[in-house]
Amino acid sequence: MEQVIRDILQKHGIKKSVDVSELYLARKALASVCDLSGFPMLNYLWLNNNKIREIPCLTYNYRLTELYLHNNEITNITGCLNHLTSLQVLLLHKNQLRKLGEAVSELRGMQFLMTLTFFLNPFAQDPGYRLHVIYYLPSVTVLDRRAFSSSLFFTAIKQEERIAASHLFDPERNRVLQSLAFGRRVEKPMIIKKTTATKDKGVPVDYQGADGKYGLRRQQHRFPSKDHPDPSVIKTLQRSVMQFSSMDWNNIPTSQQNPLEDQPSESPQIITVKFR
């Protein structure tokens, strides 16, 4: 293979491998690939349509943005690609990959990966394969080719597929999202933690008296029972508990006041109100 690379560089009049940003090694009947660490500026690499069984060492080729490995005999990619975090296009179709979980796990750190192909691998026949890839690789926008197409026309991922993947692999999160939407009802009400407010004691709230000073008072909140006749009231009991905090800024020293007073300033008082 080294001779093949030398012939390519000589043909294009390239004397230094560090100047190479594109390397085309497709259709060379290669069974293996030599170390490509001498090409640190490589952005595009074609290794497709060969007889490669193992992915070559690409440790120093972290600048790669497009990698073409389709139409080979690759059986495993674990530990070979996860450092290529700049990849945007990765074609791996028509190989011998059998473990979907391991292959997807290898690519999960690629936040810029947008185009990916896995079709015609053994694991691509698994039920739910496409939804699995869509859910665990959310940056991918184009996956595989169009169905029943012999040419490589890529298929864009639809929003309906992302929703279906979310339903399948994270049903609890989907249930919570639906419970927060207006006008929707969930089968299981959300669990609400007990607050300090009671039927008799109420909750502390701040008020401003006639003299302009702030203080505290107890405000009664009568919570209806589950047997309340009004359905809208019962529905509010299934909603989340919201909380906010307020502070009396009149007690906070300004930047013009002397911070080294004999009497320390009164610490601010935080008032918390919890309500449904």
Side-chain angles (χ1 to χ4, degrees):
M1 178 183 171
E2 290 83 354
Q3 184 61 44
V4 173
I5 295 178
R6 284 195 294 267
D7 293 342
I8 293 175
L9 297 181
Q10 183 178 4
K11 179 180 179 180
H12 292 83
I14 300 175
K15 298 181 180 180
K16 296 182 180 180
S17 59
V18 295
D19 298 329
V20 177
S21 61
E22 301 181 12
L23 186 59
Y24 188 84
L25 296 173
R27 306 178 191 278
K28 302 294 183 182
L30 300 176
S32 62
V33 181
C34 65
D35 183 14
L36 297 176
S37 59
F39 299 86
M41 304 302 293
L42 203 60
N43 294 122
Y44 309 94
L45 177 60
W46 288 266
L47 292 170
N48 54 288
N49 295 85
N50 286 295
K51 299 179 180 180
I52 301 172
R53 293 180 178 271
E54 297 181 357
I55 296 179
C57 178
L58 300 173
T59 305
Y60 298 97
N61 306 111
Y62 55 88
R63 292 178 177 268
L64 278 172
T65 57
E66 297 186 12
L67 179 58
Y68 302 89
L69 291 167
H70 53 285
N71 291 358
N72 278 290
E73 300 175 5
I74 299 171
T75 58
N76 188 17
I77 63 173
T78 302
C80 302
L81 301 176
N82 55 10
H83 65 287
L84 302 178
T85 54
S86 298
L87 272 184
Q88 300 177 16
V89 176
L90 176 60
L91 304 191
L92 277 165
H93 59 273
K94 203 173 182 180
N95 277 284
Q96 296 300 319
L97 299 175
R98 298 182 180 276
K99 297 182 179 181
L100 175 60
E102 293 182 1
V104 172
S105 179
E106 181 71 11
L107 309 181
R108 292 189 68 173
M110 300 180 183
Q111 300 181 2
F112 302 101
L113 185 62
M114 295 182 293
T115 301
L116 175 65
T117 60
F118 272 144
F119 66 92
L120 295 181
N121 279 281
F123 65 55
Q125 304 299 321
D126 297 344
Y129 143 75
R130 184 174 174 87
L131 294 183
H132 184 102
V133 177
I134 291 173
Y135 179 77
Y136 288 104
L137 299 177
S139 65
V140 175
T141 58
V142 176
L143 176 63
D144 290 346
R145 66 179 181 182
R146 294 178 183 174
F148 312 110
S149 175
S150 58
S151 301
L152 193 58
F153 292 105
F154 295 121
T155 303
I157 296 174
K158 300 179 181 179
Q159 182 63 23
E160 293 79 3
E161 292 180 303
R162 296 196 185 277
I163 295 174
S166 178
H167 277 276
L168 181 61
F169 293 100
D170 198 351
E172 178 62 20
R173 179 177 181 273
N174 184 72
R175 187 190 68 80
V176 173
L177 290 176
Q178 286 189 349
S179 70
L180 298 177
F182 292 101
R184 294 186 180 182
R185 179 181 299 174
V186 292
E187 297 180 357
K188 182 179 179 181
M190 299 182 66
I191 299 176
I192 303 175
K193 296 182 179 180
K194 294 183 179 180
T195 64
T196 56
T198 62
K199 295 183 180 180
D200 298 327
K201 295 182 179 180
V203 293
V205 296
D206 61 332
Y207 73 97
Q208 185 176 11
D211 54 357
K213 295 183 179 180
Y214 286 86
L216 289 176
R217 68 182 178 186
R218 312 296 294 187
Q219 179 176 343
Q220 300 295 329
H221 287 282
R222 300 291 181 179
F223 296 122
S225 64
K226 294 184 178 180
D227 298 329
H228 196 279
D230 190 352
S232 62
V233 175
I234 301 302
K235 190 174 182 179
T236 59
L237 295 178
Q238 299 178 352
R239 295 302 178 186
S240 302
V241 176
M242 295 186 294
Q243 177 178 336
F244 69 90
S245 300
S246 62
M247 180 182 296
D248 184 4
W249 291 98
N250 294 329
N251 296 328
I252 307 300
T254 62
S255 59
Q256 288 78 16
Q257 293 176 343
N258 187 1
L260 300 178
E261 297 177 350
D262 295 335
Q263 298 293 334
S265 59
E266 183 180 355
S267 60
Q269 184 176 21
I270 300 178
I271 303 167
T272 303
V273 179
K274 294 183 179 180
F275 58 93
R276 296 186 191 274

